Amino acid sequence: MVNAKINGIEIQVEKGTTILDAAREKGIRIPTLCYLKEINEIGACRVCLVEIGGKKNLVAACNNVVEEGMEIFTNSPKVQSARRTNVELILSQHDFRCATCVRGNDCNLQRLARELNIIEIPYKIEIENQPWDHSFPIIRDSAKCIKCMRCVQVCDKIQTMGVWDIINTGKRTSVSTVDMQNIEDMDCALCGQCITHCPTGALRERNDTVKVMDAIMDPDQIVIAQIAPAVRAAWGEGFGLSTEQATVGKMVSAARQIGFDYIFDTDFSADLTIMEEGHELLERLSHEKDAKMPMFTSCCPGWVRFMKSQFPDYVDNLSTAKSPQQMFGAIAKTYYADILGVTPDKITCVSIMPCTAKKYECAVPQVNDSGADRDVDVSLTTREFIRMLRAAQVNIDTLEEDAFDEPLGIGTGAGVIFGATGGVMEAALRSAYYFVTGKNPGADDFSIVRGEDGIREVTVDIAGTPVHAAVVSGLGNARNLMERVSRGEVSYDFVEVMACPGGCAGGGGQPIHDGLELACQRGQKLYALDKGSQLRFSHENPAIVQAYDKFLDRPLSHKSHELLHTRQAEWDL
């Protein structure tokens, strides 16, 4: 143990503890801009500077450790002056038109400038402007970049994609894509983790809310919304609501006030995915010598993009089942269009997703099979949904409970847990057991696949047949597993992969809380909803049963293959 003082308070911490961590243990706040624990501890922003007794120069608290007898001052006049100067210098190279910034109300830099009472910039304003393709799902605004390096480190260390890098040197040092390539020419998975870890508005998703409002205001269009499972676990965060306050019913009620004609649940098509994917898994297992094994889940477009660019020899191992988003669009513009008695072009299908890669997916020509230009016209992130609620002046405090419309609003607990890492695997195993035995397992019999580990390996028994499975979240972990698979070190039957750490609950389109990773807590909310659901098996969803009886015939039928399946090898990147 090491003894020291912080602001006159005696402390005792383990050897190797950083000054920043030691201060936080005592409830002493040291502001930071670039710091991400165990990811970005480089002291680049110089905001966490502290004074050490007997030393002339200030040091960064994030990457200097507490030493025996050290006297630390976190807010001395010298520290305050240096901190203020450093933030002023950062602002001198930052586009601080905060009123029109998507991060205007939760920007770390803006918050820090207010705390330091900075109301004028005494330095020459020099703002960088790099060109960018604003049709791309992820938008980078170099004028708002503070060169904190978070995007670089998250992309390299967590997702292992290496999209971002430092360019130039000295005063001209900046951040851009590697070798300043055009982003559309790079192997970006569109996971959006760079966005959720950016402290400012330098990175954001493409804004598609105007397209949605244009459709809502078009009297000739029927605008329907599907809301993904993980959105219900996070939408309330944008309004400071507790779990008890941010109910599914209030979410639906809020969405209705935006102006959607019908509001449906992506849980419905998650259940549909299980029906198709579960039967596909059993078919592959029964023809294992000829089938591409292991079978990988295919509902995460970030993971599909990763597989196509990094491990193209395994693309045919992906399940041919479309994602729930795309299955919903195909059903909405065929089966549901028939129910309404309209042609597909009269329906605008909007998806509200925890994801940025879904914006790419809905534009892939090879997943649009309804006869309309697109099965899903627009995909919004949870953050865009929250911004639309604010723009619609929705009074969250007076919301009443409302229900999804039917029949595409009926979902099961199995569909709900799609939003948590391991949820697709668990839902598929629940129904696969039924498909083989004709009876349901215990609803929680396969909960062994749950957990926070980036890679989880399990063997489960389905009617005497062992199924070797793995659950992976985060592309760095996916790379690790795929390298082991390609070397023949491991063998599986079924693998679930989600591009974002923690699965969709931690998706790149979810609300941003600086320094907090909330995927686990959101996932627990989804498991609680599953636990309290009257229907916990996808094959028991009455709307799914009806859809097969009246329209699709059966899982893996010709109609199902036509509308609900795809060949990812043919997708354009």
Side-chain angles (χ1 to χ4, degrees), residues 56-95:
K56 179 181 178 181
N57 296 328
L58 303 179
V59 302
C62 67
N63 58 7
N64 280 276
V65 300
V66 179
E67 297 177 0
E68 183 66 34
M70 183 179 276
E71 284 193 271
I72 304 160
F73 304 94
T74 69
N75 206 33
S76 67
K78 187 176 181 179
V79 168
Q80 290 185 46
S81 177
R83 187 173 290 155
R84 181 185 179 89
T85 297
N86 288 340
V87 173
E88 287 173 341
L89 287 167
I90 291 171
L91 286 167
S92 74
Q93 297 181 343
H94 179 78
D95 178 359

Side-chain angles (χ1 to χ4, degrees), residues 324-379:
Q325 169 180 273
Q326 294 307 133
M327 283 197 184
F328 182 93
I331 290 295
K333 293 197 175 182
T334 54
Y335 174 59
Y336 191 64
D338 289 347
I339 292 174
L340 293 179
V342 301
T343 55
D345 61 291
K346 292 296 182 182
I347 294 176
T348 296
C349 182
V350 178
S351 69
I352 300 172
M353 297 280 142
C355 180
T356 48
K358 292 292 182 184
K359 290 178 179 287
Y360 152 78
E361 183 186 46
C362 69
V364 172
Q366 292 82 2
V367 297
N368 294 298
D369 299 302
S370 67
D373 289 340
R374 285 191 182 184
D375 294 353
V376 175
D377 296 279
V378 185
S379 184

